Amino acid sequence: MADTRFFHRTGPYTLGHIASITGATIERGSVDLILNDIAPLDLAGPGQLSFLDNVRYRDSYRASNAAACFVAPEMVEHAPEGMALLVTKTPYKANALAAQAFYPDIWPQSRIAKSATIDPTAKIGEGCIIEENVVIGADVELGKGTWIEANTVIGASCVLGDRCRIGSNVTLSHCHIGQATRIYPGARIGQDGFGFAIDPSGFVKVPQLGRVMIGVHVEIGANTTIDRGASGDTVIGDGCWIDNLVQLGHNVKLGRGCVIVAQVGIAGSTIFDDYVVVGGQAGFAGHLKVGKGARIGAQSGVMRDVPAGAEVMGFPAIAIKQFMRQAAILNKMTKSKDKK
Amino acid sequence: MADTRFFHRTGPYTLGHIASITGATIERGSVDLILNDIAPLDLAGPGQLSFLDNVRYRDSYRASNAAACFVAPEMVEHAPEGMALLVTKTPYKANALAAQAFYPDIWPQSRIAKSATIDPTAKIGEGCIIEENVVIGADVELGKGTWIEANTVIGASCVLGDRCRIGSNVTLSHCHIGQATRIYPGARIGQDGFGFAIDPSGFVKVPQLGRVMIGVHVEIGANTTIDRGASGDTVIGDGCWIDNLVQLGHNVKLGRGCVIVAQVGIAGSTIFDDYVVVGGQAGFAGHLKVGKGARIGAQSGVMRDVPAGAEVMGFPAIAIKQFMRQAAILNKMTKSKDKK
Amino acid sequence: MADTRFFHRTGPYTLGHIASITGATIERGSVDLILNDIAPLDLAGPGQLSFLDNVRYRDSYRASNAAACFVAPEMVEHAPEGMALLVTKTPYKANALAAQAFYPDIWPQSRIAKSATIDPTAKIGEGCIIEENVVIGADVELGKGTWIEANTVIGASCVLGDRCRIGSNVTLSHCHIGQATRIYPGARIGQDGFGFAIDPSGFVKVPQLGRVMIGVHVEIGANTTIDRGASGDTVIGDGCWIDNLVQLGHNVKLGRGCVIVAQVGIAGSTIFDDYVVVGGQAGFAGHLKVGKGARIGAQSGVMRDVPAGAEVMGFPAIAIKQFMRQAAILNKMTKSKDKK
């Protein structure tokens, strides 16, 4: 269903092949059924594979003309006649894997554009793709097969691992980036943090002498900004997903697998344990600790430490149940006033 | 009054000409009165045209030395002696049209910079302006007279209409852009949205197989980010105005003429009908519907659908009147505690 | 302690020299004690200088192996044996000055990259550094020793003072910038503000005919956006510090020495007096006045004028004491409901 002007489709694949690469079980349909594309339930037709992940879309599922569908076990009985069924507890993930098969992430051939400026002391790994007008400073090291898109600037001494992809118009400085990490267009990583001492004659800049250390398989969104450490490092753990327009101050440390939705701001020296999830536009004061697996609601303002596993929301952020109760009480108060 | 170092002024124009291009009626003053510039009420002098749009500035109006002024009918009686009057129900708009006449939006001569890199398969319309270090990918199509400012990158297969203006340091990919649309510097349009499935071994990326479809006469602000659809498209309707640092997630759809003020964030798959207005820093959860002409206050957190014509505010967003009443009740409660 | 891959350390320096450049008094230790680096209290060892600014870190101080330490007078008695002491009322500032000595801000040699495009009418001061793919428009003026990093675009007629540093991938237009001002990567300064008049047939653009006037010793963060004035100028006073991802609308005026933390948004025509401090993600409606030295809490939504010296917080922003009391009352209300 994707526009082939922009996306290259492979296949077709048999139902059996799709089952094998996704771990789903064929509940109905022939192993040899030919599938040539993926599509949403309401648009899918013959030869197309779909998925049902949310009960909200059950009616679309019942009416769908998809040739095959990923479904949870409990949805099998609601399937329309003639639809092949691939049963899995994780239909969304199975569909992601099938989509990766039909539309693989194809990288360009290795090349170094003539208009790129690469300092002679930089070490460029085998098979890199370095596009137009890229500027690479002294002593930079790029791993094998790393892709630097056009008009990006990589400051002196940065180290990037293998198979990284750095989008266009990005600025990197004072950083180490692990393998297979992806930075989206316009991100700014490694600039001086916001550090000054107050003086009667104005502000005295505090030299920012740390780095940004980014793990492997990290995603960092478009126009996001990550300042380097003031003393010691700013750290992004392996497998973190950071969305667009996020601000991370100096010496922020994120554990492994954290998810930070768009426009979040985290002030300096706040430390996240692993698997913390933060909704969009939330903000964190500096020098806080956020425990493992904590979940922070969108737009929250976090002013205190958050224990592991806690779910908080609001400003100042409180337990999500308490937040909902406050909102309900306030609504009731204003409504009873209406009646007077 | 504009600095002619930066702006080119034309004219002079007669009062009659100004009336004719703005639709205002000459209430006082000669058709042949010569006007050679526009200026604010408090700074305007002989030969200068001003406007009164806000009663707050009535004193400036009464004391103004402007040669002529756009005013609403009810303000005629408060005019100072000797001031020519152009009466209109929309003085702000009339002044905008007069400003466009005195300071026309002048575009440079058509040219293609030598340092631009244009893929040989790209189709460049007549009269385009392509500035330094622009990179244009394979199969891109640019309409007639479109202007691409320096250091901008346009990914493969993008289609832009006639007379678009794309600012400097912009990144475009996977998008169609209608005619006369303007994108400001540093915007990022068409990158992958924030889509992943959770897996015990980490996150599985969901291929983002949609596009960004942008209408005609749209404005998209500096450093704004618009992700492409995951499956199906992200859509920006004709005539939308989007300010700086806005985040639009995958599959967001905006109707015609929506106004989105700076730093707003809209999560994936939320759909706006036409003429929705959103104040700065507001946020929207995903998968919501916002009805025609709804108005969302600044910093609101919208977690539910908003009906057509509704005005909401706060977090969670509620009817604006109720929001104001809550604030008043809370103030009263804290003040009565003060007295104890 | 800084990674010498990225930072160049000078020295060593004697305790006496450090005392003389920071204004601290040697309370304990030899004037000739040799110091060769700075380090945090818990990591510092022989030959290393540290500081104690926050009582929270008193235990680290007592256990520290630092050779010398900046401390406030009242902390002298808690010092570990053998540690040289530099007494000052401002240990954080003293440490900043020492850090500047050990790690001076070294600029590259003057040069103009071959790939830079400089209009022949531009005036480039002596000793400038103009990096790769920079584009400088007609009639631009750069002061002496100003540094323009790679892939930055400076529009026609902009004027920059001496010793400015403009980061990479920046866009400047319609602006004057005072000496020793620093703009971080990806900032967008001088584009059209968000100005339109509403018309039945759509929106009528209001020509934006002002400039952005930026003082001396200003810092403007990464990916921050500052629109030019609509009529008259947007103004940033001397010595302001503006963090990343901040949005300043047309005709905003900041006095001297204001501090604006990341992701703040200030709507058009709002005016700050001197030394206003704004926490992260706060927002301001347009046309407000904020008095000298006012302090605005993070995430506040300011909808009214703020008097000089006031401290406000919340949405809508109220006096910080009242805000804290509201939060406490709401907590109590929800908790008493728990008991029922």
Side-chain angles (χ1 to χ4, degrees), chain B residues 3 5-7 93 100 133 151 168-169 182 184 188 223 241 244 263 281 298-299 331 333-334 338, chain C residues 133 139 141 151 157 171 186 188 192 199 205 211 223 227 245 247 265 282 300-301 322 325-326 329:
Chain B
D3 181 346
R5 183 178 176 96
F6 293 107
F7 301 96
K93 182 185 132 195
Q100 289 178 1
N133 312 319
N151 291 4
S168 58
N169 294 300
R182 185 162 172 201
Y184 287 77
R188 311 292 162 203
N223 285 351
W241 277 62
N244 300 338
Q263 295 176 318
Q281 297 185 331
Q299 286 195 335
N331 277 348
M333 282 168 57
T334 39
D338 276 342
Chain C
N133 313 319
D139 300 314
E141 298 178 29
N151 290 5
S157 303
T171 307
R188 312 293 161 202
D192 309 40
D199 184 74
K205 185 172 177 71
R211 305 166 297 181
N223 285 350
D227 291 339
L245 292 169
Q247 152 69 5
S300 297
Q322 195 183 355
R325 209 179 298 137
Q326 280 191 6
I329 289 175

Side-chain angles (χ1 to χ4, degrees), chain A residues 108 111-118 129-136 147-153 166-170, chain B residues 114-120 132-138 151-154, chain C residues 132-133 151 169:
Chain A
R111 71 180 180 100
I112 297 182
K114 275 190 189 173
S115 58
T117 304
I118 301 175
I129 305 140
I130 299 181
E131 294 188 353
E132 282 67 24
N133 312 319
V134 164
V135 180
I136 295 182
W147 179 6
I148 314 293
E149 295 186 64
N151 290 4
T152 279
V153 179
I166 312 299
S168 59
N169 293 301
V170 164
Chain B
K114 277 190 189 174
S115 58
T117 304
I118 301 175
D119 190 277
E132 281 68 22
N133 312 319
V134 165
V135 180
I136 294 182
N151 291 4
T152 279
V153 179
I154 303 183
Chain C
E132 281 70 22
N133 313 319
N151 290 5
N169 294 300

Side-chain angles (χ1 to χ4, degrees), chain A residues 84-329:
Chain A
L85 296 178
L86 290 160
V87 175
T88 165
K89 287 180 181 166
T90 55
Y92 187 65
K93 181 185 132 196
N95 186 65
L97 294 170
Q100 289 178 2
F102 279 107
Y103 297 94
D105 185 20
I106 298 169
W107 285 30
Q109 291 290 313
S110 169
R111 71 180 180 100
I112 297 182
K114 275 190 189 173
S115 58
T117 304
I118 301 175
D119 190 278
T121 61
K123 291 177 191 159
I124 308 298
E126 275 176 45
C128 283
I129 305 140
I130 299 181
E131 294 188 353
E132 282 67 24
N133 312 319
V134 164
V135 180
I136 295 182
D139 300 313
V140 165
E141 297 178 29
L142 301 188
K144 291 179 189 165
T146 275
W147 179 6
I148 314 293
E149 295 186 64
N151 290 4
T152 279
V153 179
I154 303 183
S157 302
C158 291
V159 178
L160 282 72
D162 298 344
R163 292 288 289 178
C164 291
R165 179 177 173 186
I166 312 299
S168 59
N169 293 301
V170 164
T171 307
L172 303 180
S173 73
H174 303 85
C175 63
H176 284 220
I177 299 180
Q179 62 171 325
T181 278
R182 184 160 173 203
I183 315 272
Y184 287 77
R188 313 292 162 201
I189 295 175
Q191 58 281 340
D192 309 41
F194 200 61
F196 52 85
I198 291 168
D199 185 72
S201 70
F203 301 113
V204 176
K205 185 173 178 71
V206 177
Q208 302 289 299
L209 301 172
R211 304 166 297 182
V212 180
M213 306 300 283
I214 298 175
V216 303
H217 292 275
V218 169
E219 302 248 330
I220 295 176
N223 285 349
T224 280
T225 56
I226 304 180
D227 292 339
R228 72 173 182 263
S231 162
D233 298 320
T234 301
V235 178
I236 312 297
D238 294 345
C240 284
W241 276 63
I242 299 172
D243 201 350
N244 300 338
L245 292 168
V246 167
Q247 153 70 5
L248 303 183
H250 47 192
N251 296 94
V252 164
K253 293 192 195 333
L254 305 185
R256 297 164 58 97
C258 293
V259 174
I260 313 289
V261 176
Q263 296 177 317
V264 164
I266 306 181
S269 300
T270 282
I271 297 176
F272 283 20
D273 202 332
D274 300 338
Y275 307 116
V276 172
V277 177
V278 183
Q281 297 185 331
F284 293 76
H287 297 274
L288 302 181
K289 287 188 182 172
V290 178
K292 189 171 177 175
R295 300 175 71 87
I296 315 299
Q299 286 196 335
S300 297
V302 182
M303 298 164 73
R304 296 191 186 168
D305 291 351
V306 179
E311 293 193 48
V312 303
M313 198 166 195
F315 175 60
I318 51 180
I320 194 166
K321 284 181 186 174
Q322 195 184 355
F323 175 80
M324 292 303 183
R325 209 179 298 138
Q326 279 190 7
I329 289 176

